[in-house]
Amino acid sequence: MAAEQFQALRTYLNSQVLGQTEFTESLLIAVLADGHLLVEGPPGLAKTRAVNALAQGIEGSFHRVQFTPDLLPADLTGTDIFRPEQGTFEFQQGPLFHHVILADEINRAPAKVQSALLEAMAERQITVGQKSYPLPELFMVLATQNPLEQEGTYPLPEAQLDRFLMHINIDYPNAATELDILRLTRGEELHGSETMLQPLKQADLFAARKAVLEIYMDEAVENYLVQLVIATRTAAAYSDDLGRWLSYGASPRATIALDRCARARAWLDGRDFVTPEDIQAVFPNVLRHRIILSYQAEADGITADAVLQKILSLVPAP
């Protein structure tokens, strides 16, 4: 039953966000793997629309926060409000107490705001004064970054980047998809367009997450997964080029994320076992933001994606 509901949700997302099937699949994988998502792409590629559609397809509340340099931690967490009639302070919840949070242009907020968001992402709680407040069991941060303009931005610290399950890069659609987008914005019905009538209940979502964790992974496939992550830390053993290009590899959190995402992809495809292809498909998105390139790589114009593809080609699959 849960599998059918997720397929309906996938169809709905693809009907609302045209030409971004990898992006919409990553949204569903993040939901199933109980993780946060960082999305990077130029303006106007329906990043906000996709997150809004996901929130409508899941039973829960949605809130969008526009990150700006003057944003304060209390604008996210909430604050204590003084009630003079009672002579006491009462906590007023902020946007982080919603189920799905869109952190728009996350890299435009200063360090204190990032610190408050990091606590929410890592600990599933927020702290105001001397008291901590738990966040909802269903809690997802879907953050966006604009790669075109860096003026007035604050690079995300590595510790916060590591808390994102995946980092997705999206690009402009092709001509045929652009035509469909044009027709959709005019209100025309497209072939195969669907309307999501029944949101996915949270109980069914949690049941699906449990089913994902029970997906079978052979020991050989498991070892392959681990070796891919280890290769980012011992790059020189695989290739002199990799040794020059990589300064720091991925943490064990990457191994956990890769495992969860590969299982979620297998489950979405209707299988009860993980294949090496599942791991290879999610590997770039899971590792893209977790490795640190050397100055030599940057000088040579080598990207993180090129490094990860090199690792995939050198680590033998079972």
Coordinates of all heavy atoms in Angstrom, one line a residue, residues 172-230:
Y172 N 19.1 23.7 -16.5 CA 18.0 24.2 -17.3 C 17.4 23.0 -18.1 O 18.1 22.1 -18.5 CB 18.5 25.2 -18.3 CG 18.9 26.5 -17.7 CD1 20.2 26.9 -17.7 CD2 18.0 27.4 -17.1 CE1 20.7 28.0 -17.1 CE2 18.4 28.5 -16.5 CZ 19.7 28.9 -16.5 OH 20.1 30.0 -15.9
P173 N 16.0 23.1 -18.4 CA 15.4 22.0 -19.2 C 15.7 22.1 -20.6 O 16.2 23.1 -21.1 CB 13.9 22.2 -18.9 CG 13.8 23.7 -18.6 CD 15.1 24.1 -17.9
N174 N 15.4 21.0 -21.4 CA 15.5 21.1 -22.8 C 14.3 21.8 -23.5 O 13.4 22.2 -22.8 CB 15.7 19.7 -23.4 CG 14.5 18.8 -23.1 OD1 13.4 19.2 -23.0 ND2 14.8 17.5 -22.9
A175 N 14.4 21.9 -24.8 CA 13.4 22.7 -25.5 C 12.0 22.1 -25.4 O 11.0 22.9 -25.2 CB 13.8 22.8 -27.0
A176 N 11.9 20.8 -25.5 CA 10.5 20.2 -25.4 C 9.9 20.4 -24.0 O 8.7 20.7 -23.9 CB 10.7 18.7 -25.7
T177 N 10.7 20.2 -23.0 CA 10.2 20.4 -21.6 C 9.9 21.9 -21.4 O 8.9 22.2 -20.8 CB 11.3 20.0 -20.6 OG1 11.6 18.6 -20.8 CG2 10.8 20.1 -19.2
E178 N 10.7 22.8 -22.0 CA 10.4 24.2 -21.8 C 9.0 24.6 -22.4 O 8.3 25.4 -21.9 CB 11.5 25.0 -22.5 CG 11.5 26.5 -22.2 CD 12.5 26.9 -21.2 OE1 13.4 26.1 -20.8 OE2 12.5 28.1 -20.8
L179 N 8.7 23.9 -23.6 CA 7.4 24.1 -24.2 C 6.3 23.7 -23.3 O 5.2 24.3 -23.2 CB 7.4 23.4 -25.6 CG 6.2 23.7 -26.5 CD1 6.0 25.2 -26.8 CD2 6.3 22.9 -27.7
D180 N 6.5 22.5 -22.7 CA 5.4 22.0 -21.8 C 5.3 22.9 -20.6 O 4.1 23.1 -20.1 CB 5.8 20.6 -21.3 CG 5.6 19.5 -22.3 OD1 4.8 19.8 -23.3 OD2 6.2 18.4 -22.2
I181 N 6.4 23.5 -20.1 CA 6.3 24.4 -18.9 C 5.5 25.6 -19.3 O 4.6 26.1 -18.6 CB 7.7 24.8 -18.5 CG1 8.4 23.6 -17.9 CG2 7.7 26.0 -17.5 CD1 9.9 23.9 -17.6
L182 N 5.7 26.1 -20.5 CA 5.0 27.3 -21.0 C 3.5 27.0 -21.1 O 2.7 27.8 -20.7 CB 5.5 27.6 -22.4 CG 5.0 28.9 -23.1 CD1 5.4 30.1 -22.2 CD2 5.5 29.1 -24.5
R183 N 3.1 25.8 -21.6 CA 1.7 25.4 -21.7 C 1.1 25.2 -20.3 O 0.0 25.6 -20.0 CB 1.6 24.2 -22.5 CG 1.9 24.4 -24.0 CD 2.0 23.1 -24.7 NE 2.2 23.3 -26.2 CZ 2.7 22.4 -27.0 NH1 2.9 21.1 -26.6 NH2 2.8 22.7 -28.3
L184 N 1.9 24.7 -19.4 CA 1.4 24.5 -18.0 C 1.1 25.8 -17.3 O 0.1 25.9 -16.6 CB 2.4 23.6 -17.2 CG 2.0 23.3 -15.8 CD1 0.8 22.3 -15.8 CD2 3.2 22.6 -15.0
T185 N 2.0 26.8 -17.5 CA 1.8 28.1 -16.8 C 0.6 28.8 -17.4 O 0.0 29.7 -16.8 CB 3.0 29.0 -17.0 OG1 3.4 29.1 -18.3 CG2 4.2 28.3 -16.2
R186 N 0.2 28.4 -18.7 CA -1.0 29.0 -19.3 C -2.3 28.3 -18.8 O -3.4 28.7 -19.3 CB -0.9 29.0 -20.8 CG 0.1 29.9 -21.4 CD -0.2 30.2 -22.8 NE -0.2 29.0 -23.7 CZ 0.8 28.7 -24.5 NH1 1.8 29.5 -24.7 NH2 0.7 27.6 -25.2
G187 N -2.1 27.3 -18.0 CA -3.3 26.6 -17.5 C -3.8 25.5 -18.4 O -4.9 24.9 -18.2
E188 N -3.0 25.1 -19.4 CA -3.4 24.1 -20.3 C -3.1 22.7 -19.7 O -2.2 22.5 -19.0 CB -2.6 24.1 -21.7 CG -2.9 25.4 -22.4 CD -2.1 25.5 -23.7 OE1 -1.7 24.4 -24.2 OE2 -1.9 26.6 -24.3
E189 N -4.0 21.7 -20.0 CA -3.9 20.4 -19.5 C -2.8 19.6 -20.3 O -2.9 19.6 -21.5 CB -5.2 19.6 -19.5 CG -6.2 20.1 -18.5 CD -5.8 19.7 -17.1 OE1 -5.1 18.7 -16.9 OE2 -6.2 20.5 -16.1
L190 N -1.8 19.1 -19.6 CA -0.8 18.3 -20.3 C -1.2 16.8 -20.3 O -1.7 16.3 -19.3 CB 0.6 18.5 -19.7 CG 1.1 20.0 -19.7 CD1 2.4 20.1 -19.1 CD2 1.2 20.5 -21.2
H191 N -0.7 16.1 -21.3 CA -1.0 14.6 -21.3 C -0.2 14.0 -20.1 O 1.0 14.2 -19.9 CB -0.5 14.0 -22.6 CG -0.6 12.5 -22.7 ND1 -1.8 11.9 -22.7 CD2 0.4 11.6 -22.7 CE1 -1.6 10.6 -22.8 NE2 -0.3 10.4 -22.7
G192 N -0.9 13.2 -19.4 CA -0.3 12.5 -18.2 C -0.3 13.3 -17.0 O 0.3 12.9 -16.0
S193 N -0.8 14.5 -17.0 CA -0.8 15.3 -15.7 C -1.7 14.7 -14.7 O -2.8 14.2 -15.0 CB -1.2 16.8 -16.0 OG -2.5 16.8 -16.5
E194 N -1.3 14.8 -13.5 CA -2.1 14.1 -12.4 C -2.4 15.1 -11.3 O -1.7 16.1 -11.1 CB -1.3 12.9 -11.8 CG -1.0 11.9 -12.8 CD -2.1 11.0 -13.2 OE1 -3.1 11.0 -12.4 OE2 -2.1 10.3 -14.2
T195 N -3.4 14.9 -10.5 CA -3.7 15.7 -9.4 C -3.7 14.8 -8.1 O -4.3 13.7 -8.1 CB -5.1 16.3 -9.5 OG1 -5.2 17.1 -10.7 CG2 -5.4 17.2 -8.3
M196 N -2.9 15.2 -7.1 CA -2.8 14.5 -5.9 C -4.0 14.8 -5.0 O -4.1 15.9 -4.5 CB -1.5 14.9 -5.2 CG -1.1 14.0 -4.0 SD -0.5 12.4 -4.5 CE -0.2 11.7 -2.9
L197 N -4.8 13.8 -4.9 CA -6.1 14.0 -4.1 C -5.9 13.7 -2.6 O -6.5 14.4 -1.8 CB -7.2 13.2 -4.7 CG -7.6 13.5 -6.2 CD1 -8.7 12.6 -6.7 CD2 -8.0 15.0 -6.3
Q198 N -5.2 12.6 -2.3 CA -5.1 12.1 -1.0 C -3.6 12.2 -0.5 O -2.8 11.5 -1.0 CB -5.6 10.7 -0.9 CG -5.6 10.1 0.5 CD -6.6 10.9 1.4 OE1 -7.7 11.2 1.0 NE2 -6.2 11.1 2.6
P199 N -3.3 13.2 0.4 CA -1.9 13.3 0.9 C -1.5 12.0 1.6 O -2.3 11.3 2.2 CB -2.0 14.4 1.9 CG -3.2 15.2 1.5 CD -4.2 14.2 1.0
L200 N -0.2 11.7 1.5 CA 0.4 10.5 2.2 C 0.3 10.7 3.7 O 0.9 11.7 4.2 CB 1.8 10.3 1.7 CG 2.6 9.1 2.3 CD1 2.0 7.8 1.8 CD2 4.1 9.3 1.9
K201 N -0.3 9.8 4.4 CA -0.4 9.9 5.8 C 1.0 9.7 6.5 O 1.8 8.9 6.0 CB -1.4 9.0 6.4 CG -2.8 9.2 6.0 CD -3.8 8.3 6.6 CE -5.2 8.6 6.2 NZ -5.7 9.9 6.5
Q202 N 1.2 10.4 7.6 CA 2.5 10.3 8.3 C 2.8 8.8 8.8 O 3.9 8.3 8.7 CB 2.6 11.3 9.4 CG 2.8 12.7 9.0 CD 3.1 13.6 10.1 OE1 3.7 13.3 11.1 NE2 2.8 14.9 9.9
A203 N 1.7 8.2 9.2 CA 1.8 6.8 9.7 C 2.3 5.9 8.5 O 3.2 5.0 8.8 CB 0.5 6.3 10.2
D204 N 1.8 6.1 7.3 CA 2.2 5.3 6.2 C 3.7 5.6 5.8 O 4.4 4.8 5.4 CB 1.3 5.5 5.0 CG -0.1 5.0 5.2 OD1 -0.2 4.0 6.0 OD2 -1.1 5.6 4.7
L205 N 4.0 6.9 6.0 CA 5.4 7.3 5.6 C 6.4 6.6 6.6 O 7.4 6.1 6.1 CB 5.5 8.9 5.8 CG 6.8 9.5 5.2 CD1 6.5 11.0 4.9 CD2 7.9 9.5 6.3
F206 N 6.1 6.6 7.9 CA 7.0 6.0 8.8 C 7.1 4.5 8.6 O 8.1 3.9 8.8 CB 6.5 6.3 10.3 CG 6.6 7.8 10.6 CD1 5.6 8.4 11.4 CD2 7.7 8.5 10.2 CE1 5.7 9.7 11.7 CE2 7.7 9.9 10.6 CZ 6.7 10.5 11.3
A207 N 5.9 3.9 8.2 CA 6.0 2.4 7.9 C 6.9 2.2 6.6 O 7.6 1.2 6.6 CB 4.5 2.0 7.6
A208 N 6.8 3.1 5.7 CA 7.7 3.0 4.5 C 9.2 3.1 4.9 O 10.0 2.4 4.4 CB 7.3 4.0 3.4
R209 N 9.5 4.0 5.8 CA 10.9 4.2 6.2 C 11.3 2.9 6.9 O 12.5 2.5 6.7 CB 10.9 5.3 7.2 CG 10.9 6.7 6.6 CD 11.0 7.8 7.6 NE 11.0 9.1 7.0 CZ 11.0 10.3 7.7 NH1 11.0 10.2 9.0 NH2 11.1 11.4 7.0
K210 N 10.5 2.2 7.7 CA 10.9 1.0 8.3 C 11.1 -0.1 7.3 O 12.1 -0.9 7.4 CB 9.8 0.6 9.3 CG 10.1 -0.7 10.1 CD 9.0 -1.0 11.1 CE 9.3 -2.3 11.8 NZ 8.3 -2.7 12.8
A211 N 10.2 -0.1 6.2 CA 10.4 -1.1 5.2 C 11.7 -0.9 4.4 O 12.4 -1.9 4.0 CB 9.2 -1.1 4.2
V212 N 12.1 0.3 4.2 CA 13.4 0.7 3.5 C 14.6 0.1 4.3 O 15.5 -0.5 3.7 CB 13.5 2.2 3.3 CG1 14.9 2.6 2.9 CG2 12.5 2.7 2.3
L213 N 14.5 0.2 5.6 CA 15.7 -0.3 6.4 C 15.8 -1.8 6.4 O 16.8 -2.4 6.7 CB 15.5 0.2 7.8 CG 15.7 1.7 8.1 CD1 15.4 2.1 9.5 CD2 17.0 2.2 7.6
E214 N 14.7 -2.5 6.0 CA 14.7 -3.9 5.9 C 15.0 -4.5 4.6 O 15.1 -5.7 4.4 CB 13.3 -4.4 6.4 CG 13.0 -4.1 7.8 CD 11.5 -4.4 8.2 OE1 10.7 -4.8 7.3 OE2 11.2 -4.3 9.4
I215 N 15.3 -3.6 3.6 CA 15.7 -4.0 2.3 C 17.0 -4.8 2.4 O 18.0 -4.4 3.1 CB 15.9 -2.8 1.3 CG1 14.6 -2.2 1.0 CG2 16.6 -3.2 0.0 CD1 13.6 -2.9 0.1
Y216 N 17.2 -5.9 1.7 CA 18.3 -6.8 1.8 C 19.5 -6.2 1.0 O 19.4 -5.7 -0.1 CB 18.0 -8.2 1.2 CG 19.2 -9.1 1.2 CD1 19.7 -9.7 2.3 CD2 19.8 -9.4 -0.1 CE1 20.9 -10.5 2.2 CE2 20.9 -10.2 -0.2 CZ 21.4 -10.8 1.0 OH 22.5 -11.6 0.9
M217 N 20.7 -6.2 1.7 CA 21.9 -5.8 1.0 C 22.9 -6.9 1.2 O 23.3 -7.3 2.3 CB 22.4 -4.5 1.5 CG 23.7 -4.0 0.8 SD 24.4 -2.5 1.4 CE 23.1 -1.3 1.0
D218 N 23.4 -7.5 0.1 CA 24.4 -8.6 0.2 C 25.7 -8.1 0.8 O 26.0 -6.9 0.6 CB 24.6 -9.2 -1.2 CG 25.5 -10.4 -1.2 OD1 25.0 -11.5 -0.9 OD2 26.7 -10.3 -1.5
E219 N 26.4 -9.0 1.4 CA 27.7 -8.6 2.0 C 28.7 -8.0 1.0 O 29.4 -7.0 1.3 CB 28.3 -9.7 2.8 CG 29.5 -9.4 3.6 CD 30.1 -10.5 4.4 OE1 29.4 -11.6 4.5 OE2 31.2 -10.4 5.0
A220 N 28.7 -8.6 -0.2 CA 29.6 -8.1 -1.2 C 29.2 -6.6 -1.6 O 30.1 -5.8 -1.8 CB 29.6 -9.0 -2.4
V221 N 28.0 -6.4 -1.7 CA 27.5 -5.0 -2.1 C 27.8 -4.1 -1.0 O 28.2 -2.9 -1.2 CB 26.0 -5.1 -2.4 CG1 25.4 -3.7 -2.7 CG2 25.7 -6.0 -3.6
E222 N 27.6 -4.6 0.3 CA 27.9 -3.7 1.4 C 29.4 -3.3 1.5 O 29.7 -2.2 1.7 CB 27.5 -4.5 2.7 CG 27.2 -3.7 3.9 CD 26.6 -4.5 5.0 OE1 27.1 -5.6 5.3 OE2 25.7 -4.0 5.7
N223 N 30.2 -4.3 1.2 CA 31.7 -4.0 1.2 C 32.0 -3.0 0.1 O 32.9 -2.1 0.2 CB 32.5 -5.3 1.0 CG 32.5 -6.1 2.3 OD1 32.4 -5.6 3.4 ND2 32.6 -7.4 2.1
Y224 N 31.3 -3.1 -1.1 CA 31.6 -2.2 -2.2 C 31.2 -0.8 -1.8 O 31.9 0.2 -2.1 CB 30.7 -2.7 -3.4 CG 30.7 -1.7 -4.6 CD1 31.9 -1.4 -5.2 CD2 29.5 -1.2 -5.0 CE1 31.9 -0.5 -6.3 CE2 29.5 -0.3 -6.1 CZ 30.7 0.0 -6.8 OH 30.7 0.8 -7.8
L225 N 30.1 -0.7 -1.1 CA 29.6 0.7 -0.6 C 30.7 1.3 0.3 O 31.1 2.5 0.1 CB 28.3 0.5 0.1 CG 27.6 1.7 0.7 CD1 26.1 1.5 0.7 CD2 28.1 2.1 2.1
V226 N 31.2 0.5 1.2 CA 32.2 1.0 2.2 C 33.5 1.4 1.4 O 34.1 2.4 1.7 CB 32.5 -0.1 3.3 CG1 33.7 0.4 4.1 CG2 31.2 -0.2 4.1
Q227 N 33.9 0.6 0.5 CA 35.1 0.8 -0.3 C 35.1 2.1 -1.1 O 36.1 2.8 -1.2 CB 35.5 -0.4 -1.2 CG 36.0 -1.6 -0.5 CD 37.2 -1.3 0.5 OE1 38.1 -0.6 0.1 NE2 37.1 -1.8 1.7
L228 N 33.9 2.4 -1.6 CA 33.7 3.7 -2.3 C 34.0 4.9 -1.4 O 34.6 5.9 -1.8 CB 32.3 3.8 -2.9 CG 32.0 3.0 -4.1 CD1 30.5 3.0 -4.5 CD2 32.8 3.4 -5.3
V229 N 33.5 4.8 -0.2 CA 33.7 5.9 0.8 C 35.2 5.9 1.2 O 35.8 7.0 1.3 CB 32.8 5.8 2.0 CG1 33.0 6.9 3.0 CG2 31.3 5.9 1.5
I230 N 35.7 4.8 1.5 CA 37.1 4.7 1.9 C 38.1 5.2 0.9 O 39.1 5.9 1.1 CB 37.5 3.2 2.3 CG1 36.7 2.7 3.5 CG2 39.0 3.1 2.5 CD1 37.1 3.4 4.8

